[in-house]
Amino acid sequence: MLKTEILENGRATVTLNRPDVHNAFDEALIAALQETFTGLSENPDVRVVVLAAEGKSFCAGADLNWMKRMSGYSYEENMADGRALARMLNTIATCPKPVVGQVQGAAYGGGVGMVAVCDIA
């Protein structure tokens, strides 16, 4: 789902790894990105973060299966999901290390948001 590599030169690479669904995000990927970027922000060995993706698409936005599940959620559950997505995007946007989006292929919906929170794409 998510691969992270930290090289000796201070470069961390975070790779979206759901190419079968064009790297669309769901609650698990959102949580993993939140946790990963929080950790990288606090890691003194990391100087720059590259956000990349496997496959032919960078990110198709929200996973359609996740959206189907959300249709049965309560108002509170939908609000919690929205807050988690906003928190994750804000964590990337405010990362104290430069975030470089290595974008290949398509970026749709929330995938455009992922590109937008990078410092350089």
Side-chain angles (χ1 to χ4, degrees):
M1 165 179 8
L2 192 65
K3 296 189 300 188
T4 304
E5 178 183 29
I6 300 174
L7 301 177
E8 288 183 21
N9 65 2
R11 184 183 86 191
T13 301
V14 177
T15 306
L16 306 175
N17 191 24
R18 298 185 74 210
D20 53 318
V21 291
H22 300 273
N23 297 305
F25 50 79
D26 59 8
E27 68 274 23
L29 183 56
I30 289 169
L33 283 163
Q34 173 69 38
E35 181 180 331
T36 298
F37 271 87
T38 298
L40 293 173
S41 293
E42 298 168 355
N43 186 333
D45 296 329
V46 174
R47 295 177 42 226
V48 63
V49 181
V50 175
L51 180 59
E54 292 289 332
K56 65 180 185 177
S57 302
F58 178 72
C59 181
D63 184 299
L64 294 179
N65 290 316
W66 176 48
M67 291 177 71
K68 286 180 192 176
R69 288 194 306 275
M70 288 175 23
S71 70
Y73 285 7
S74 68
Y75 174 81
E76 291 79 19
E77 290 170 318
N78 272 297
M79 289 299 291
D81 263 0
R83 280 190 217 91
L85 175 60
R87 232 182 351 268
M88 178 270 292
L89 291 170
N90 186 62
T91 299
I92 296 172
T94 60
C95 180
K97 318 297 169 85
V99 178
V100 178
Q102 184 177 319
V103 181
Q104 89 291 349
Y108 296 110
V112 174
M114 296 277 286
V115 175
V117 296
C118 294
D119 296 298
I120 301 167

